[in-house]
Amino acid sequence: MSDRTVFFISDGTGITAETFGNAILAQFDFKPRRVRLPFVDTPDKAHQAVRQINHTAELEGKKPLVFTTLVDRQALQIIQEGCKGMLMDMFGTFVQPIEQELAIKSHHRVGRFSDVSKSREYNDRIEAINYSLAHDDGQSNRDLMGADVILVGVSRSGKTPTSLYLAMQHGLKAANYPLIPEDFDRRQLPPALAPHKKKLFGLTIAPERLSEIRSERRPGSRYADLQNCRMEVADAEAMMRRAGIRWLSTTTKSIEEIATTILQEVRPERLSY
């Protein structure tokens, strides 16, 4: 059962409100019911949002928490005046004081994705996503020269989600290759990767955790057997040490932490805005 309902309201996608709100909510030990209300960009939609929030307040007998990044002044005023939740206007809290300090007006632009057709960064990110999908799990050896980073590691060590996160969030062309028993028998990296050693970054994982993850996919198989996982991880780590590849363990790290560590190593300038 959720302790409280949390609404994220925006006249854009709602991603900013949800990301910011969830970062704050993570400081508290409770399980909210989350409701995203995107594209609240007319008075009518604002009134609908107010009715939904107030209905929830009546049903639960508690004030819903409401995070908003509304730019439209009229829609925001409707929410402010009619909402029976605890309202946190993030733009009002942060943008207005900055306007006063800098003595300039903000753009009051709706959403980070507005006018994306003119955004070089957006188009680069789409190109990176397409590249990473085409080079997932060793599917293609074509244009590895174009990769920003090539992730290597045993199957299910976190290569695919990390590759896609690097592409989607940072516009990096990230390929990934699984290390398989044939590679361990040869005691060498896959031949296609040899010319690109400087771009390689390894991911490893605790064998116990790897066995758990693989068991969800193929329960009772040799693939998921703990002893086999121990052998694969040990062989992969030994291979990465011999090849001088930078690597880290994903066992207790989030995708965001893994990606940030990789960025610090291979493209530190991408951590700057």
Side-chain angles (χ1 to χ4, degrees), residues 186-206:
R186 293 197 315 269
R187 294 174 60 83
Q188 292 181 344
L189 292 167
L193 302 184
H196 311 289
K197 189 180 291 187
K198 290 183 179 180
K199 295 184 178 183
L200 300 183
F201 196 99
L203 301 183
T204 188
I205 187 171

Side-chain angles (χ1 to χ4, degrees), residues 5 16 22 63 87 90 153 160 162 169 174 178 183 192 194 197 212 218 222 238 243 253 265:
T5 297
T16 299
N22 282 331
K63 281 185 176 183
L87 184 63
M90 284 178 273
T160 294
T162 302
Q169 296 297 322
D183 299 319
K197 189 180 291 187
E212 291 175 3
R218 298 183 196 170
R222 184 177 184 278
K253 289 182 170 59
E265 291 286 338

